[in-house]
Amino acid sequence: LGADVFAEQCAECHSLKDGKNKKGPSLFGTAGRKSAFVSDFAYSEAMKASGIIWTPEQLDAYIALPKKAVPGGKMKYDGLPDAKSRADLIAYLATVK
């Protein structure tokens, strides 16, 4: 289920392969890490300064409303309103490491 959500909502801009960035950074190993951790990706100053640790709760808030979670961030995505889809996606991302 989470893989399907990723394919539909995220894969156009994000890869799950370590070191493979697209429009957005690779999401390999995201769960539990600090925001802006991919060294060769040009993050917004807002994301670099956010200090977010990607816990399930933080991922949920960000995926739901990225522009609210990190004002001034550059992700061009309005958010995923469906809580079950977000939960499935977050569970899936936790397995990608």
Side-chain angles (χ1 to χ4, degrees), residues 1-16 22-23 27 63 76-82 84-86 88-89 92-93:
L1 296 169
D4 293 337
V5 177
F6 181 85
E8 293 168 10
Q9 299 289 321
C10 315
E12 180 180 333
C13 297
H14 295 279
S15 167
L16 293 176
K22 294 170 106 176
K23 292 178 201 171
L27 297 183
I63 295 165
K76 292 176 172 39
Y77 180 70
D78 291 331
L80 182 60
D82 184 72
K84 178 161 182 353
S85 292
R86 288 195 312 271
D88 290 344
L89 176 60
Y92 176 63
L93 288 175

Side-chain angles (χ1 to χ4, degrees), residues 34-36 43-54 57-78:
K34 188 174 180 200
S35 61
Y43 291 95
S44 67
E45 290 302 316
M47 183 60 79
K48 288 192 254 184
S50 72
I52 291 171
I53 301 296
W54 293 121
E57 297 77 18
Q58 284 289 339
L59 283 165
D60 186 62
Y62 187 72
I63 295 165
L65 291 167
K67 291 174 180 79
K68 181 179 178 189
V70 181
K74 63 183 186 179
M75 187 158 90
K76 292 176 172 39
Y77 180 70
D78 291 331

